[in-house]
Structures are given as structure tokens and as C-alpha cells.
DNA sequence: CTGAAAGCGCTAACAA
DNA sequence: TTGTTAGCGCTTTCAG
């Protein structure tokens, strides 16, 4: 309600003086400072940040665009990002694109019109034009989790390949030799890296890669179920199953249970992500922990550095992951004999 | 980059004309309209919404303040709210207060300075001063899930009491007589209503309320574990357990499993919320489904109505809930005989 | 049917 | 040490 002008009038000073006491941007005598403060208090002055932003060309607002907030992977990322932003006086505008690249672009353009200082994308479609466009536009942005194909811009991801290698090695050490894989959405660079990591893990452990054990999935529960159903039909079923994310692992688990096969006695199961539920479940899921909060936090911090012109040491970072062994992995059942 | 002025110059018209063709706010001859459009295209004009907002006193931005995005209850609410907002051309600024009333207030004040058009609170602390303050301030807001103590303002909640009654009745119909309860945070109006519903459910089914079966909790996993541990120690353990939310139900389940008691063979388990995980688990949790997406959607829609002066039929709505019977409830084990 | 100009609330040259 | 003033980009009254 009250503006700098009102305060200036009430305090009997110029609006410049008021502005300067608010921002501490030049010396104002204690005398006047006091008068201004008093007037602000009396009038219950609150700055209009919109007007300030119009002047300063800085909104202290970031766009946070996610493919689907409802995917258990993202809330922790958002929380980390919001925390890092808050620490530095920024806010996040949340957009849920519903996995639609079109909405992603539309939202980006709206956010740009709202003059956000920077943008964060979780799981940007990998063929997206956005990175190139934003680069031209000059707006800083950071891609989380999925590395954009066009190489410029900031990136914070995780060591998907390493995590998957660890998962396979764990299984191999337990004695598993027939290990199936349920892949994620192939358009995602993260999913590709996980698939690559699986193959590499097999190789490092001297295990053959058998193609009938490689299933496609889309990161969703149902695709985990389907893959498991298919795998169970095989003449020679796998003794272990690794999914490219926890959600599909749970889908597979449901199917397994329904078919009467026990986890981990009959088949071992490993996920990837370590979503909250994986440790909440009555039987904990063995999985690869991804530092999602960290990812959001680092991403936002980097982005703000870029906005404020702080030099950035590493514009592209890959956070380490960690295998968490819980209750869904065990040694395979004894072989019945040498012949088959 | 390009402003209305640039466009006006390029098109050889006044800035008023440009503004009017942009907004369709008064008649402009086809001739000039065409020239303006061409100029906008040529200069790649994009409106600066900040400047517009400064003039119109409307930002088309809402504050969405949540206690903890990471709590599986909220993402769906946020998604619903974001969707309803997007439908009407609004955006959400996301704030995670980390359950802290102080941060909640601080964030509110910052959002107000950013001139948001309205505010949404999920699980506002029930003793909060905010409702009264916002009322004075004249900023529309809606409380989700928890009904604020000060009665004004919009509210969208769910039928907590009815849901709990349904849960208890389900158990009673299966033949359970010793039913334990794990309550939620007593500062939450929703938790209170759930506790009340439990008692009422007992009463309606002619069951006595036994105080040693009533446990306190705080909606978190650990408190579910603790409650279950306590319950298991009882001389006469319950045959069924209902938790005020799913997360605590999972905590209890973990403890039960660890103690070797089977669900539902040895004890039945019912949660409340129907978070995504409850249907993901290999053994599905019987629970009360809350329409969280709906809650967010309705809330945002109502808030926008209030902002835009659309008359509101029902400023306070309570959405219906539904018992979802999955795999964690069954008849109690046979009694060994009449004499205990 | 179109244009000139004021002003939203603020910051920051420039003057004094 | 403080004040005057232009102007951020836009909408909208008021004239014509």
C-alpha cells in the first residue's frame, strides 16, 4: 500500500533517501535514517518487489520445470533446489509439464516473459530445442538428471553408469549368472547410461549379455509388471532382476509375488534411485541411492552463480551414487545339478 | 528486448495502438493491426509481464506453501494446484517451509512483496496468525487439508472423520474387536478429525474404546514403528491396527515384520491417504483414498475465483474419501476358545 | 478510430 | 550529505 513516496513525504525527505536507507546503498545520516525507519514502521511500508525488479532487471525468481511432480524421484530434487534458492534469496516457480515437450516449451516462454532470472529442468526431453534457444536468449539454465544433447549450459547429473555397474557386481558376487534388465525410457540420457552400465557390469564380471533378458520399460510401474511377466515365461528364467528405476522394480515385484515367486529366495531384485518408499516398504528394496536433494541443491546453486556472474568451476557435474543393500537380494538357489 | 515502443516506432503507430492490438482491448483497423503484427514478428517482440503486472496490479502468480514437499502426501496436491492454475493462466511459486511456522510467515511476507495474487497453504500450523493477518491484508488465500482455527478464508479438505469410520467399520465387519490406533500430529485439524473418526467408528460398531490401544504418532515413519513395537508388548495385543496415515502404517508394518508377525494373517493393517506407494508395494496397503489431486485442483480454482471476483458458492468444502481394500486386512485368527 | 501522456513503485544517474 | 529526475515496459484515461 504505502510506497517510497509516502514514506518520503511522511519523513520529510526525498524518495532517493528512502530508497537508499532501504537498500543501504549510500550513506544517509543517522538522523534521517532514523526518521525514515520510523516513517516506514508507522506506514507499515513493504517494498513492491515487482517495481524493483522492473528497474533492476532481476526478479530473484527461477523457473523449475519438471516432467511430473508426482514421480517419486522429483520431490526431493525440488526440495533441494528450493532450499538452495531460499538460501540466496530466490524463489522457484514450479511447472509440471506432464512429460510434454510442447508444454515444456510453452512454459519456458511464459516464464521468460515473467522475467525469471534462470531456469531449471529436470529430465528435459533429450531432443529438445530449448538449450540452443535459451543459449541465444542469454538466459542461464541448468539441466538436471538428463544431459541435454546440445552441449552448452549447466548440468548436474549422477553417475548412472557407475551405479549400475555396482548393482550388477553385487549380484554377480552373490553368484547370479542369469541377470535380467528392465530398461527405462530410451529418450533419456540417464536411462541410456543405466543401460550401458548394466552391459558394462556384465562384462566386468565375465557374464554374457543375453538379449532375451533385456526388457524395455518406460520407468512406470506397469512396464515393470509387464517385463516381469515376460521374464517369468522364459524357458530359463533369470535368477536376478535389475530395473532401471525403483518404480519399475516395484512393478516387477508385484508381478513376481502374484506369480508366487518369492523375493529374494527365488529371485533377487535391484532397483535404482532409492526413492523414499524403497526404505519404507515392509521389505526394503536393494537399490542404488541417488542424491536427489543434492542434485537439486547443487543445480540451483550453480544456476544462481551463473546469474550473479560468479565464476563456475565445473559447469557439468556428476554426483556419486551408492549401492544400498537391503532385503531383496540373496544368493541364487542351489543348482539342481551340472546338467541344466 | 523489444518493447511496445520499439514496435510502435517500427509500425509507425502509437504505443497505445500496439498495446490494444496485443490485448484486443479496443478496435484497431485491420490495416494497422496488420502492420503492428508484422512489426512484432519482425522484432520478435515478447511482452514483459513484470511491467504489465506493475500496471495492472495482477501477477497471475500464486504462492503455494507446503510443509514438506518430500512428504508423499503433497506432490499430488501440488500437481492438482499447478494444473488448475495453468488452466487459468496462473503460475505457482513453491515454498517448502520445512514444517516451520516461522519460515511459513517469512515466506508469506516475501510472496506478498512479490505481489502474488493469492496464497495456498497445505497443512498450515493450526495456531497460525496468518489467516487473520491475510484477512486484514486483503489477500485471498486457501487452506488445504487443515482447517485454520480462525474461520475466515477458503478451505478445501477431506472427510477425515468419515474415512476413518469406514476404516474401522471394515475391520469390525471382518470380526476384529481389538483395534489399535496410531494418531497423527495433534496440532493438525485433519489428525484430530481422524482420531475422532476412529472413536466414532468404534462406537458405531459397538466396540469399546480401550485406551492402551491408542498410540500417539507424528505422521512419520519412525512413530509408526515405535507404536507397533509398543503394541506388540501388550499382554493382549490388538488383532488390527489403523494408522492415521499411510507412512505410519508402513512404519508399523516394518516393525511387525521384524517381529515376525505376519500381515494380514496375524494382524490386519489399515492406513489413510492412499499415497502412491500404497499401491506400489508388492502387498498393497488397505487404506482410505484421499483425492489429493482434486484437493489441489479445487483449492486453486476456488482461489482464482476469489481473486477474479467470481462469486464462490461454497467457500469451505470437504471432499469425499473412499476405503480401498487391498491386501493388508483379513479376518482375525480363530479364537482359541471362550476362556481366552 | 487513433494518439498523447500519465503513472504503477522503484533505482540510480546526475546535480547540488 | 541529500534531492531531482529520468526511465524500466506497460496499460489506460482523456482528447481529438
Amino acid at each position: 500500500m504505502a510506497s517510497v513516496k509516502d514514506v518520503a513525504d511522511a519523513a520529510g525527505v526525498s524518495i532517493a533517501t528512502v530508497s537508499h536507507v532501504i537498500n543501504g546503498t549510500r550513506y544517509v545520516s543517522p538522523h534521517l535514517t532514523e526518521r525514515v525507519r520510523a516513517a516506514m514502521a508507522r506506514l507499515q511500508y513493504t517494498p513492491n518487489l515487482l517495481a524493483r525488479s522492473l528497474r533492476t532487471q532481476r526478479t530473484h525468481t527461477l523457473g523449475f520445470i519438471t516432467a511430473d511432480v508426482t514421480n517419486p524421484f522429483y520431490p526431493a530434487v525440488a526440495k533441494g533446489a528450493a532450499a538452495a534458492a531460499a538460501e540466496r534469496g530466490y524463489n522457484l516457480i514450479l511447472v509440471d509439464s506432464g512429460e510434454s515437450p510442447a508444454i515444456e516449451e510453452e512454459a519456458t516462454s511464459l516464464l521468460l516473459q515473467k522475467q525469471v532470472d534462470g531456469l531449471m529442468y529436470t529430465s528435459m526431453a533429450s531432443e529438445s530445442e530449448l538449450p540452443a534457444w535459451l543459449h541465444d536468449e542469454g538466459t542461464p539454465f541448468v539441466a538436471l538428471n538428463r544431459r541435454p544433447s546440445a552441449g552448452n549450459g549447466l548440468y548436474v547429473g549422477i553417475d548412472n553408469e557407475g551405479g549400475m555397474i555396482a548393482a550388477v557386481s553385487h549380484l554377480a558376487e552373490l553368484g547370479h549368472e542369469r541377470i535380467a534388465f528392465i530398461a527405462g525410457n530410451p529418450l533419456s540420457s540417464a536411462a541410456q547410461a543405466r543401460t550401458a552400465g548394466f552391459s558394462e557390469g556384465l562384462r566386468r564380471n565375465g557374464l554374457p549379455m543375453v538379449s532375451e533378458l533385456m526388457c524395455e520399460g518406460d520407468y512406470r510401474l506397469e512396464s515393470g509388471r509387464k517385463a516381469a511377466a515376460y521374464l517369468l515365461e522364459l524357458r530359463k528364467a533369470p535368477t536376478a532382476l535389475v530395473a532401471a528405476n525403483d518404480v519399475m522394480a516395484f512393478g516387477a515385484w508385484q508381478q513376481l509375488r502374484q506369480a508366487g515367486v518369492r523375493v529374494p529366495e527365488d529371485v533377487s531384485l535391484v532397483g535404482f534411485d532409492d526413492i523414499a518408499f524403497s526404505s519404507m516398504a515392509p521389505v526394503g528394496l536393494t537399490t542404488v541411492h541417488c542424491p536427489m536433494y543434492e542434485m537439486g541443491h547443487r543445480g540451483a546453486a550453480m544456476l544462481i552463480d551463473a546469474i550473479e556472474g560468479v565464476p563456475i568451476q565445473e559447469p557439468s557435474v556428476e554426483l556419486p551414487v551408492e549401492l544400498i543393500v537391503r532385503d531383496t537380494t540373496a544368493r541364487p538357489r542351489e543348482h539342481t545339478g551340472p546338467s541344466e
Side-chain angles (χ1 to χ4, degrees), chain A residues 130-142:
Chain A
L130 252 20
W133 184 36
L134 290 170
H135 182 74
D136 294 350
E137 205 75 9
T139 306
F141 71 97
V142 56

Side-chain angles (χ1 to χ4, degrees), chain A residues 232-245:
Chain A
L232 254 20
E233 295 284 308
L234 253 31
R235 211 163 30 79
K236 220 178 151 193
T239 64
L241 216 162
V242 4
N245 76 350

Side-chain angles (χ1 to χ4, degrees), chain A residues 62 64 76-86 92 120 144 293 295-297 300:
Chain A
L62 271 23
F64 184 92
V77 179
K79 190 174 177 113
L92 254 40
M120 309 184 67
L144 264 26
Y293 180 92
M295 190 163 90
H297 199 280

